[in-house]
């Protein structure tokens, strides 16, 4: 038996695409909280890759966004491909058969607004050092 049911929040907006034959397919990731906390008392999460097909994919994408609380039911599927460097890459994902929206649109929008406010409050002030030298390692530079 191959059946999985998960509940969590979308980590980003679903990515809707169409195959060459016009079939809708959407990919998304669901953050699922673990039942226990780590040594620091923080709850960790697993990030489950999911894929949904056809009309269900279009409906899912029309009514969900980053942060939406969803329940998905489906089966696990493993596939592989050969990467450019010659190594075999394996991917395991949940192929969604059914889904449920687990909060109202208003609740979802409130959650998204709260997340955006938290991110804005955590923004780093580039001038915080007041002209003092900032210690940056070469590994932190993008060039």
């Amino acid at each position: 038996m191959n059946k999985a049911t998960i509940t969590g929040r979308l980590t980003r907006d679903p990515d809707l695409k169409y195959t060459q034959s016009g079939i809708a397919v959407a990919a998304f990731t669901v953050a699922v909280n673990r039942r226990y906390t780590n040594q620091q008392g923080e709850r960790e999460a697993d990030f489950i890759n999911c894929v949904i097909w056809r009309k269900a994919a279009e409906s899912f994408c029309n009514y969900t966004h980053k942060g939406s609380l969803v329940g998905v039911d489906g089966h696990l599927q493993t596939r592989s491909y050969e990467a450019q460097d010659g190594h075999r890459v394996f991917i395991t994902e949940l192929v969604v058969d059914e889904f449920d929206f687990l909060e109202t649109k208003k609740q979802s929008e409130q959650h998204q607004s709260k997340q955006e406010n938290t991110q804005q409050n955590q923004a780093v002030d580039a001038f915080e050092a007041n002209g003092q030298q900032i210690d940056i390692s070469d590994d932190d530079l993008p060039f």
Side-chain angles (χ1 to χ4, degrees):
M1 181 181 296
N2 181 357
K3 191 137 178 101
T5 302
I6 61 172
T7 301
R9 293 197 179 274
L10 298 184
T11 61
R12 58 182 167 80
D13 291 343
D15 183 23
L16 180 64
K17 295 182 179 178
Y18 291 88
T19 65
Q20 290 180 349
S21 57
I23 297 172
V25 58
F28 58 95
T29 302
V30 178
V32 180
N33 286 333
R34 293 182 179 172
R35 291 180 178 242
Y36 52 87
T37 58
N38 61 18
Q39 292 178 345
Q40 290 78 27
E42 299 168 344
R43 190 168 303 273
E44 295 179 352
D46 292 305
F47 299 89
I48 311 298
N49 294 323
C50 301
V51 64
I52 187 169
W53 291 88
R54 296 180 176 75
K55 184 66 177 165
E58 293 173 328
S59 296
F60 189 85
C61 291
N62 285 335
Y63 297 103
T64 61
H65 54 78
K66 178 180 178 181
S68 294
L69 183 63
V70 296
V72 294
D73 183 51
H75 59 278
L76 294 176
Q77 177 176 288
T78 302
R79 56 188 170 91
S80 66
Y81 65 91
E82 190 170 316
Q84 291 180 349
D85 62 4
H87 287 91
R88 174 86 38 215
V89 177
F90 291 90
I91 298 172
T92 301
E93 57 198 0
L94 178 65
V95 179
V96 177
D97 297 323
E98 297 179 56
F99 64 89
D100 283 314
F101 307 119
L102 300 179
E103 61 189 354
T104 65
K105 183 176 181 179
K106 183 177 180 180
Q107 290 171 321
S108 180
E109 289 171 351
Q110 287 173 343
H111 177 79
Q112 186 176 19
S113 175
K114 188 187 311 182
Q115 288 296 105
E116 289 171 357
N117 288 339
T118 301
Q119 290 173 354
Q120 289 174 354
N121 292 340
Q122 294 175 349
V124 176
D125 183 0
F127 301 103
E128 184 176 18
N130 295 326
Q132 298 174 6
Q133 185 174 357
I134 300 173
D135 184 30
I136 299 176
S137 92
D138 289 342
D139 294 334
D140 292 334
L141 298 175
F143 45 88

